[in-house]
């Protein structure tokens, strides 16, 4: 990802988000990461499912245009109990927006680069400032 503050290794992502993840439930990861071993740290604690796993587990190859995979993954993520996205990502932002429109169980905008064990960091992550136009804001769906 192009923004340096979002380029974390799997250990840092797990440390930041562990308190948000439900133990015993599968963790779907929508990502462009091509190194399957990148998520080994997460997979050691949670059952990790990625697009490739679903396609391989299906009966034969899915005959889908490549351009459809991203939007399908956005719908999968939008239907989750909780979604942790990437800050400044338009892919993640639209998932947050869909979750807000459909009144998902948890519509808070979580980001993998925020340490959710630190209460002050959590509060800071909820603050919206006018120039952060790349971040989703619940006002976009609550005042409709």
């Amino acid at each position: 990802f192009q923004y340096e503050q979002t380029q974390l290794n799997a250990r840092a992502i797990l440390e930041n988000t562990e308190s948000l993840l439900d133990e015993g439930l599968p963790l779907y990861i929508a990502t462009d990461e091509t190194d399957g071993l990148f998520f080994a740290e997460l997979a050691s604690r949670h059952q990790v499912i990625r697009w490739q796993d679903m396609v391989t587990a299906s009966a034969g190859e899915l005959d889908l245009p490549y351009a459809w995979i991203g939007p399908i993954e956005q719908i999968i993520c939008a239907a989750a109990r909780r979604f942790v996205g990437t800050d400044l990502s338009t892919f993640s932002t639209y998932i947050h927006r869909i979750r807000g429109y459909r009144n998902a169980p948890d519509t808070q905008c979580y980001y993998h680069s925020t340490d959710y064990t630190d209460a002050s960091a959590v509060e800071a992550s909820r603050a919206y400032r006018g120039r952060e136009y790349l971040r989703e804001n619940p006002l976009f769906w609550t005042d409709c």
Side-chain angles (χ1 to χ4, degrees):
F1 197 64
Q2 65 184 341
Y3 300 106
E4 190 174 318
Q5 71 265 31
T6 64
Q7 297 173 7
L8 303 178
N9 62 41
R11 178 182 296 280
I13 293 169
L14 183 60
E15 288 172 0
N16 285 348
T17 61
E18 185 70 27
S19 65
L20 301 174
L21 305 177
D22 295 323
E23 191 173 326
L25 293 180
L27 179 63
Y28 185 83
I29 299 178
T31 181
D32 292 337
E33 178 60 57
T34 57
D35 180 5
L37 296 177
F38 181 86
F39 297 105
E41 187 84 26
L42 289 161
S44 71
R45 304 280 301 271
H46 299 276
Q47 177 190 2
V48 170
I49 301 170
R50 294 176 56 201
W51 177 259
Q52 301 89 302
D53 301 325
M54 294 192 329
V55 172
T56 316
S58 70
E61 279 294 312
L62 294 176
D63 189 23
L64 292 174
Y66 179 78
W68 289 15
I69 296 172
I72 291 169
E73 286 196 296
Q74 285 179 309
I75 297 301
I76 291 168
C77 294
R81 280 196 177 109
R82 181 172 295 127
F83 172 70
V84 179
T86 299
D87 196 12
L88 306 175
S89 160
T90 55
F91 181 84
S92 292
T93 295
Y94 192 58
I95 294 168
H96 287 302
R97 178 85 53 103
I98 295 169
R99 292 177 61 75
Y101 287 154
R102 66 177 296 272
N103 198 23
D106 185 348
T107 57
Q108 175 64 40
C109 298
Y110 299 105
Y111 301 102
H112 79 278
S113 54
T114 299
D115 180 358
Y116 290 98
T117 61
D118 179 353
S120 62
V122 173
E123 283 308 309
S125 75
R126 292 181 179 164
Y128 293 97
R129 295 168 287 280
R131 294 185 350 202
E132 291 182 353
Y133 60 91
L134 292 175
R135 295 186 91 189
E136 186 65 359
N137 187 322
L139 291 174
F140 298 151
W141 66 74
T142 56
D143 287 353
C144 296

